[in-house]
Amino acid sequence: MKALLHPARVVALVFLLVILLGTGLLMLPIAHAEGISAPWVTAFFTAVSAVCVTGLVVVDTGTYWSGFGQVVILMLFQLGGFGMMTLATLLGLMVNRSFRLRTKMVAQQESRTLAIGDVGSVAKLVLVVTLGMELLITLLLTVRLHLAYDLPLTEAAWSGLFHAISAFNNAGFSIHPDSLMRYASDALILLPVMTAIVIGGIGFPVLHDLRNRLRDPRHWSLHTKLTLSGTAVLLLCGFVGLLLSEWSNAATLGPMSVGDKVLSAAFASVSARTAGFNSIDIGALTHESWALHYLLMFVGGGSAGTAGGVKVGTVAILLLMVIAEIRGRGDTEAFGRRICAAAQRQAITVLVLGSAMVVIGTLFILRTTDIATDKVIFEVVSAFGTVGLSTGITADLPESSQLMLTLLMYVGRVGIVTLAVSLAMGERRMPYRYPEEHPIVG
């Protein structure tokens, strides 16, 4: 019983329970636009995609699901992005200000805070930032849609609310069949969405650190520095790479004005980091752009945010390890700090297990379909990174391949390390160590 209550296992089980609950709700006739019961695979896939804030869909969200069904989907990706354990922590704060140690440990497993004593503070920040950003983006989108596109106020408000919450949670769900392509030249729509994506995906520990030390960057934690610098590099490289690759592509940026090209390339770079919205046709991108998306989607965003992927901090640590090895340094260092050996082992573990999941998923789907390999890789990486971008093959995949994508989404959201720990029998410290030897490498 004690092993079952391990914080990592609680996180994994709660996400699974919410997925099953969402599946049941989406199978109700009231959730379908035509008043019939949706097939269980369709309902299950949609629930997993929503809870895991991915955005991959096998049916059009705006026409297949009724208003009730769309509300259920919205609630699922709100819960998934907000974090099951963070929500549990907030409920505990409302009832009783004092936590038991295990409750704090459970919340810490989800929020990735650096100290158990920070859980309450981070949980409050999650609530304030989430509601504040979602309300602000909803207001901006509603006003723009009502005034510029002549949508009735209620319709504009619903569209604004749905897309604002989806953007902040990096969910990628849209009630439009073309995602946000109809707004490709509208900066007043895309810029608020981009802002919500970045803030939601940067990670709450970073926001917590910035709130406390905004005017004193020298005292930011190493995690904050690595995340912010890594995010800036990825966004810039993604923007430049996509702009160059798609500049003359007649099916994407080619026909646009210079300003619209810059806007769409910037939006694509931001969205590729696990948001899942698109303002240009993903299926029409060049092969170079697809390859760039592989990298951006696999890396993802910041730890303990609404983004997926192996995380910016993980890749930053691995790159620093390579640099230290090339320079012949015994320690891996950054910003005047030494990175502990445990963090380095965790980074390697996340990369290896994440890569293994992508390879396994790709091989499985290739065996069950004759779709081009590059499109399958794109779909698999998108699912594992909980991105939601697609070249348009999701609905055409056989059910077995769609179920494989749900597994990838679940693992990508819960986290490789969290899932591995939740399945492990428990930590053991060996009372002995073997003699050390150095095998030949390379």
Side-chain angles (χ1 to χ4, degrees):
M1 183 64 180
K2 182 178 180 180
L4 290 175
L5 294 178
H6 190 287
R9 288 182 176 171
V10 173
V11 172
L13 288 174
V14 168
F15 270 82
L16 182 58
L17 289 175
V18 174
I19 287 171
L20 295 177
L21 175 61
T23 301
L25 291 174
L26 290 176
M27 289 184 68
L28 296 175
I30 192 177
H32 196 286
E34 298 181 0
I36 60 177
S37 180
W40 78 268
V41 173
T42 300
F44 180 69
F45 188 97
T46 304
V48 173
S49 185
V51 174
C52 297
V53 292
T54 304
L56 286 175
V57 294
V58 292
V59 293
D60 178 48
T61 304
T63 57
Y64 186 88
W65 303 107
S66 65
F68 174 83
Q70 293 175 28
V71 170
V72 170
I73 292 171
L74 182 149
M75 293 175 63
L76 290 177
F77 60 65
Q78 175 74 294
L79 288 173
F82 194 67
M84 295 295 100
M85 296 304 100
T86 305
L87 177 60
T89 303
L90 287 173
L91 293 175
L93 275 172
M94 297 175 188
V95 176
N96 191 339
R97 290 180 177 273
S98 61
F99 293 120
R100 296 193 309 146
L101 178 60
R102 176 158 291 280
T103 303
K104 292 185 178 182
M105 289 177 65
V106 170
Q108 185 184 19
Q109 183 67 32
E110 169 63 16
S111 61
R112 302 293 202 282
T113 48
L114 302 179
I116 289 180
D118 289 335
V119 170
S121 179
V122 170
K124 292 177 182 177
L125 180 63
V126 170
L127 178 63
V128 172
V129 173
T130 298
L131 295 182
M133 281 299 303
E134 289 176 353
L135 288 174
L136 176 60
I137 301 302
T138 297
L139 178 62
L140 293 176
L141 294 181
T142 299
V143 171
R144 181 61 177 172
L145 291 171
H146 179 59
L147 297 180
Y149 296 89
D150 296 324
L151 290 180
L153 187 57
T154 54
E155 184 179 343
W158 170 242
S159 181
L161 176 67
F162 191 94
H163 290 99
I165 296 178
S166 182
F168 181 78
N169 289 287
N170 280 216
F173 276 87
S174 174
I175 55 178
H176 304 316
D178 61 351
S179 189
L180 300 182
M181 290 177 62
R182 63 187 64 188
Y183 308 121
S185 60
D186 193 340
L188 295 181
I189 293 289
L190 298 187
L191 289 179
V193 171
M194 290 167 63
T195 302
I197 291 171
V198 172
I199 294 178
I202 203 76
F204 289 112
V206 173
L207 296 177
H208 182 257
D209 198 18
L210 293 178
R211 184 190 66 169
N212 293 334
R213 307 184 182 95
L214 181 60
R215 298 183 179 180
D216 192 7
R218 294 176 301 173
H219 291 89
W220 289 352
S221 69
L222 180 58
H223 170 74
T224 297
K225 293 177 180 178
L226 290 177
T227 301
L228 292 179
S229 57
T231 297
V233 170
L234 286 173
L235 289 177
L236 180 60
C237 290
F239 166 69
V240 174
L242 289 169
L243 195 63
L244 294 176
S245 299
E246 301 299 322
W247 186 272
S248 301
N249 187 347
T252 55
L253 301 184
M256 297 182 179
S257 65
V258 174
D260 289 344
K261 288 181 179 181
V262 171
L263 176 64
S264 289
F267 185 83
S269 178
V270 170
S271 186
R273 306 265 325 290
T274 79
F277 290 113
N278 62 285
S279 62
I280 53 178
D281 185 2
I282 298 299
L285 293 175
T286 62
H287 290 282
E288 305 94 285
S289 294
W290 279 356
L292 182 58
H293 271 76
Y294 298 160
L295 173 63
L296 295 176
M297 294 190 300
F298 186 74
V299 174
S303 299
T306 56
V310 296
K311 302 299 188 296
V312 175
T314 300
V315 175
I317 291 173
L318 292 169
L319 290 176
L320 291 170
M321 291 172 61
V322 172
I323 293 173
E325 190 65 28
I326 292 175
R327 297 174 62 186
R329 304 289 290 270
D331 295 326
T332 301
E333 304 165 338
F335 300 104
R337 292 291 186 271
R338 185 177 70 252
I339 299 175
C340 67
Q344 297 178 47
R345 291 195 302 270
Q346 291 167 6
I348 294 173
T349 302
V350 168
L351 179 67
V352 171
L353 293 181
S355 301
M357 287 300 299
V358 170
V359 171
I360 292 172
T362 301
L363 292 176
F364 181 89
I365 295 179
L366 285 175
R367 186 176 179 82
T368 60
T369 182
D370 57 357
I371 296 176
T373 303
D374 50 2
K375 291 186 176 181
V376 171
I377 294 175
F378 193 103
E379 198 82 5
V380 168
V381 177
S382 179
F384 173 76
T386 67
V387 181
L389 292 175
S390 174
T391 58
I393 68 172
T394 313
D396 298 327
L397 294 172
E399 289 187 354
S400 59
S401 295
Q402 292 177 357
L403 292 176
M404 171 55 74
L405 292 181
T406 63
L407 175 62
L408 291 169
M409 290 187 281
Y410 179 76
V411 173
R413 176 63 184 115
V414 174
I416 288 290
V417 172
T418 300
L419 185 62
V421 173
S422 72
L423 297 176
M425 295 302 296
E427 297 180 1
R428 293 187 300 167
R429 288 185 176 275
M430 303 303 293
Y432 57 86
R433 299 178 71 186
Y434 290 108
E436 181 177 308
E437 190 170 339
H438 194 161
I440 298 174
V441 177

Coordinates of all heavy atoms in Angstrom, one line a residue, residues 104 155 244 290 407:
K104 N 2.6 17.4 0.4 CA 3.5 18.3 -0.2 C 4.4 17.6 -1.2 O 4.8 18.1 -2.2 CB 4.4 19.0 0.9 CG 3.6 19.9 1.8 CD 4.5 20.6 2.8 CE 3.7 21.6 3.6 NZ 4.5 22.4 4.6
E155 N -20.7 34.5 -29.5 CA -19.8 33.6 -30.3 C -18.4 34.0 -30.2 O -17.5 33.1 -30.1 CB -20.3 33.6 -31.7 CG -19.5 32.6 -32.6 CD -20.0 32.6 -34.1 OE1 -21.1 33.1 -34.3 OE2 -19.3 32.1 -35.0
L244 N 13.6 31.1 -43.5 CA 14.4 30.8 -44.6 C 13.9 29.7 -45.5 O 13.9 29.7 -46.7 CB 15.9 30.5 -44.2 CG 16.6 31.7 -43.5 CD1 18.0 31.2 -43.0 CD2 16.8 32.8 -44.5
W290 N 10.0 20.5 -41.8 CA 9.6 19.3 -41.0 C 10.7 18.8 -40.0 O 10.5 18.6 -38.9 CB 9.2 18.2 -41.9 CG 7.8 18.3 -42.5 CD1 6.9 19.3 -42.2 CD2 7.2 17.5 -43.4 NE1 5.8 19.1 -42.9 CE2 5.9 18.0 -43.7 CE3 7.6 16.3 -44.1 CZ2 5.0 17.4 -44.6 CZ3 6.7 15.7 -45.0 CH2 5.4 16.2 -45.2
L407 N -0.7 6.4 -26.2 CA 0.4 6.0 -25.2 C 1.5 7.0 -25.2 O 2.0 7.4 -24.2 CB 0.9 4.6 -25.6 CG 2.1 4.1 -24.8 CD1 1.7 4.0 -23.3 CD2 2.6 2.8 -25.3

